[in-house]
Amino acid sequence: MTQILDISDLKALARRRVPKLFFDYADSGAWTEGTYRANEEDFTKIKLRQRVLVDMTNRSLETTMIGQKVSMPVALAPTGLTGMQHADGEMLAAQAAEAYGIPFTLSTMSICSIEDVASVTTKPFWFQLYVMREREFVLNLIDRAKAAKCSALVLTLDLQILGQRHKDLRNGLSAPPRMTPKHLWMMATRPGWCMKMLGTNRRTFRNIVGHAKSVTDLSSLHAWTAEQFDPQLSWKDVEWIKERWGGPLILKGILDPEDAKMAAKTGADAIIVSNHGGRQLDGALSSISMLPKIIDAVGDQIEVHLDGGIRSGQDVLKAVALGAKGTFIGRPFLYGLGAMGKDGVTLALDIIRKEMDITMALCGKRNIADVGRDVLADYAR
Ligand SMILES: Cc1cc2nc3c(=O)[nH]c(=O)nc-3n(C[C@H](O)[C@H](O)[C@H](O)COP(=O)(O)O)c2cc1C
């Protein structure tokens, strides 16, 4: 096997090991995928400032996100269907994150449930909430996250209606996959994945089935999810969710300074500058290109995080330099998971950590807390 040296190596391996419909589900954006591509490309346009003859010993990447200690400013982003990249994917990724000392965020649309993840972890994880029309289900989810001692609620704001991904439509994506000849072929060509999947009973949306009133089986689940995202979600809803939750709250999916100002007024603990990894509004600007404007608008009022397009430790460092207190990675950890399970997630984190550490040193900094716009070529005087 070829050596795995960066996230693109993990991606190549995941492509070989994960059935096409689930690999494509991760590796896709809305419509033309223009925003998906821009998220990555815009990082490459930011250049670093090389410094020499600075003491580079005793470096530290340790910092905090919403006051919680993290070994580096990286969290695992909430991603739906993670347990379809690899059997029990959410449980494995949560364990890898815990061992690494960084937050894991469980999606509402996960395969493993809140209770599944809680049963294999010892430290609190974060829970991402989609607000569904069935409010009783939402209240119940919040209560389940509290009971599982989740230490932050990540409320996603940018999915009131669903963006369209062509690959998913062409592949006929569903969880579990349908048993048509095409789908059977996609799975039969990935025997390792199949063996592991046969060894678990976690193969559907376990936060939902048995919890939402009208969802009893697979066909009712499809109908329910299709009409449950709430197009009327408003800033008023943020208020009652904040109150019901009563703990640290992070608002995810802010891409515009005006929305950032509104978000800061809610009293939330942080916002995530995000366009959902380019999976919602195709044609929107990249997250990293919007970060400086959002920092200028609200950086002194609320903690700002970023996700979208991070593929290396250098990208994390660039986001931190532009003012993000923390970052989230989606696809990099999914590729690790699909490639090698829990070890692959750890390897993705190792790769990112090493790249960030070396880059920080070569920019003449020893502590992530000292990384600011002065490490970027365009901002240096
Ligand atoms: C396969 C996949 C599924 C996702 N599912 C969710 C989700 O359930 N909830 C959510 O808030 N964001 C979801 N996202 C968006 C991620 O949380 C995050 O914003 C995005 O992945 C960041 O971009 P990156 O993948 O380039 O790191 C998903 C992203 C991917 C790639």
Side-chain angles (χ1 to χ4, degrees), residues 14 47 117 139 175 215 274 291 298 304 342 350 362:
K47 300 298 172 195
V117 173
L139 294 173
V215 180
S274 172
L291 180 64
V298 298
V304 178
K342 182 172 158 185
D350 276 339
L362 293 174

Side-chain angles (χ1 to χ4, degrees), residues 127 129-132 135 138-139 142-143 146 153-157 230 233-251:
F127 180 68
L129 183 70
Y130 278 133
V131 184
M132 306 303 203
R135 291 295 199 257
V138 174
L139 294 173
I142 295 175
D143 292 346
K146 270 198 225 177
L153 188 74
V154 175
L155 177 61
T156 299
L157 307 177
D230 186 354
L233 192 68
S234 75
W235 290 105
K236 276 244 156 283
D237 292 305
V238 177
E239 269 173 41
W240 67 257
I241 291 162
K242 183 172 185 301
E243 203 176 289
R244 176 78 175 212
W245 166 245
L249 178 69
I250 302 176
L251 300 180

Side-chain angles (χ1 to χ4, degrees), residues 22 24-28 36 39-40 76-82 85 106-110 128-130 154-159 165 252 272-279 287 307-311 328-335:
F22 295 120
D24 280 355
Y25 170 66
D27 181 27
S28 59
Y36 175 30
N39 275 350
E40 294 180 19
L76 300 192
T79 52
L81 277 80
T82 302
Q85 301 295 331
L106 183 72
S107 163
T108 293
M109 301 307 293
S110 56
Q128 175 265 329
L129 183 70
Y130 278 133
V154 175
L155 177 61
T156 299
L157 307 177
D158 60 2
L159 204 123
R165 291 183 300 275
K252 175 172 185 283
I272 309 176
V273 176
S274 172
N275 50 33
H276 216 100
R279 297 164 77 82
S287 309
D307 76 23
I310 291 174
R311 297 294 176 265
F328 289 70
I329 53 169
R331 294 175 183 92
F333 97 82
L334 292 179
Y335 297 147

Side-chain angles (χ1 to χ4, degrees), residues 36-215:
Y36 175 30
R37 282 191 299 277
N39 275 350
E40 294 180 19
E41 283 164 10
D42 285 356
F43 271 108
T44 66
K45 295 176 191 156
I46 301 171
K47 300 298 172 195
L48 296 161
R49 188 170 165 220
Q50 171 181 309
R51 302 300 307 275
V52 296
L53 303 187
V54 190
D55 183 358
M56 291 177 185
T57 54
N58 297 324
R59 295 184 303 281
S60 172
L61 297 174
E62 218 176 275
T63 178
T64 59
M65 289 170 76
I66 55 163
Q68 300 177 19
K69 220 162 127 180
V70 290
S71 62
M72 61 178 172
V74 176
L76 300 192
T79 52
L81 277 80
T82 302
M84 286 289 138
Q85 301 295 331
H86 187 286
D88 298 336
E90 291 90 354
M91 290 155 75
L92 299 179
Q95 287 179 321
E98 174 172 313
Y100 227 89
I102 63 159
F104 169 77
T105 318
L106 183 72
S107 163
T108 293
M109 301 307 293
S110 56
I111 300 295
C112 304
S113 66
I114 298 176
E115 293 77 14
D116 289 331
V117 173
S119 74
V120 295
T121 50
T122 59
K123 290 188 201 126
F125 57 96
W126 293 356
F127 180 68
Q128 175 265 329
L129 183 70
Y130 278 133
V131 184
M132 306 303 203
R133 289 189 213 226
E134 191 180 315
R135 291 295 199 257
E136 222 180 295
F137 169 72
V138 174
L139 294 173
N140 183 252
L141 263 184
I142 295 175
D143 292 346
R144 288 168 60 200
K146 270 198 225 177
K149 302 207 164 36
C150 292
S151 57
L153 188 74
V154 175
L155 177 61
T156 299
L157 307 177
D158 60 2
L159 204 123
Q160 286 171 260
I161 64 167
L162 290 166
Q164 179 173 311
R165 291 183 300 275
H166 292 332
K167 285 178 194 155
D168 291 349
L169 292 176
R170 291 194 178 111
N171 286 332
L173 177 80
S174 68
R178 280 176 273 165
M179 292 296 160
T180 66
K182 179 169 106 176
H183 294 99
L184 285 173
W185 175 251
M186 284 185 198
M187 288 184 286
T189 50
R190 302 292 184 274
W193 179 93
C194 291
M195 289 307 291
K196 292 197 186 76
M197 214 42 98
L198 288 172
T200 181
N201 59 357
R202 300 180 189 89
R203 293 194 286 259
T204 189
F205 296 100
R206 287 167 60 90
N207 278 333
I208 299 173
V209 178
H211 295 282
K213 243 195 294 177
S214 49
V215 180

Side-chain angles (χ1 to χ4, degrees), residues 255-269:
L255 201 66
D256 189 275
E258 289 310 311
D259 287 339
K261 285 181 200 162
M262 302 280 281
K265 282 195 207 131
T266 64
D269 297 81

